[in-house]
Every structure is written in C-alpha cells, then in structure tokens.
Amino acid sequence: MPGSRSTPPAGATPPSGPRAALQALLDGAEGGTLRRALWLDAVDQLLRPHLPPVLAAHARLANVRGDKLVFVVDGPVWHAKLRLATQELVDAARSVGLDVAGLTVRTTSQPLRPIPPAATTAPPMSAAGQSGLAAALALLRSDAPDMSEQRAGGNRKPGRRGT
C-alpha cells in the first residue's frame, strides 16, 4: 500500500519498556481504575505503620467509600483486633488528608498476599532419609525374593517360630 510504513517516521521514536506500557494503561479507558488502585495502595502504605505490627500482615486497605475506610482481613481474630484499632486508623487517615469518620472490616478466607513458592515446597530431605529412600528403591528395583513370602512363612520349617 502506498504511504504505509512498518516503521515510525524519522525523529518519532515510539516509547518502549514497562514505563511506556504503564503510561499507555493510565492514558487509556481503564486509566481511572488503575489510578484508583495505585492511590489505594499508596494510602494503605501510609496507614500501615499505624496498625499494630502483628495485625499489619493480616489487614489491607481495600477501599475508601464515602466517609468509611474499608479494610480486608484474613481471619475473624484479625477482624476483632482491627475493630479495636478503629480510632487510631481514623485519626491517622485524617492526618493524611482523608475525611473519614469510621471503619468497615471485611473478612476473607484467602491469604491477603500470595504465599511465596519457596514456602510451599517441601523442606530438603536429610542424609539419613535420602539413604533410606535409596535403599528402599534399590530393593524395589532388584530381583530380591518377595518379602511377603518370607513373612508368611514360606521359608520356615514346620513347628518352629521364625525370628
């Protein structure tokens, strides 16, 4: 086709990389949702130091709806502990410029942060466990006599107990 190019005109270099992709998302139709998510994450980071340290790992700011902070926790015990910290969180939110008067807490059965893959793998096997497993595999792979015959008395003389 005349006039069409597969490369941009000279002097116009297209942006590339993660920043360009993020900027394209922010400028697009979904930009408002993404900006809101980034803002909520920033507010969560501002309020997190005001949570008791034990609770901070189990609670996350999910929304600011009207004059309420909406938090999500990953268990009923954290729900109760967060309710006890309501006034501190409301005061902290007001100190960063939010006009809030209360707190809503939702409980989820899912962990708030993904569990890292290293935590889900089995711990390494000890040397004794490895040697025992190797010995068991060697017995299974060898042409050793069937152990069930020996236990059932296949090689014993009548009238005597096996040891």
Side-chain angles (χ1 to χ4, degrees):
M1 297 181 152
S4 66
R5 297 183 206 162
S6 61
T7 59
T13 58
S16 62
R19 287 184 188 240
L22 180 61
Q23 190 59 45
L25 281 173
L26 288 170
D27 292 341
E30 299 82 18
T33 304
L34 186 57
R35 280 190 295 277
R36 173 81 174 175
L38 291 171
W39 177 77
L40 285 171
D41 186 54
V43 173
D44 181 53
Q45 295 302 319
L46 289 172
L47 296 179
R48 186 163 301 285
H50 299 281
L51 289 169
V54 175
L55 179 60
H58 299 279
R60 182 165 180 87
L61 179 69
N63 201 2
V64 178
R65 188 181 320 130
D67 65 344
K68 301 262 185 198
L69 296 171
V70 180
F71 272 86
V72 176
V73 294
D74 59 3
V77 69
W78 306 117
H79 184 280
K81 289 184 183 273
L82 188 61
R83 296 293 295 170
L84 292 173
T86 296
Q87 194 56 49
E88 293 172 42
L89 283 171
V90 168
D91 292 342
R94 287 179 181 160
S95 73
V96 295
L98 294 175
D99 187 23
V100 295
L103 179 80
T104 301
V105 184
R106 302 284 184 226
T107 304
T108 180
S109 59
Q110 301 293 324
L112 294 179
R113 287 160 188 81
I115 299 170
T120 59
T121 60
M125 191 180 297
S126 67
Q130 287 176 350
S131 65
L133 180 61
L137 286 172
L139 281 175
L140 290 173
R141 290 181 182 140
S142 71
D143 292 328
D146 188 11
M147 297 303 286
S148 61
E149 282 183 17
Q150 290 180 358
R151 277 185 261 150
N155 296 336
R156 291 187 304 174
K157 294 182 182 176
R160 296 192 67 198
R161 289 191 158 175
T163 56

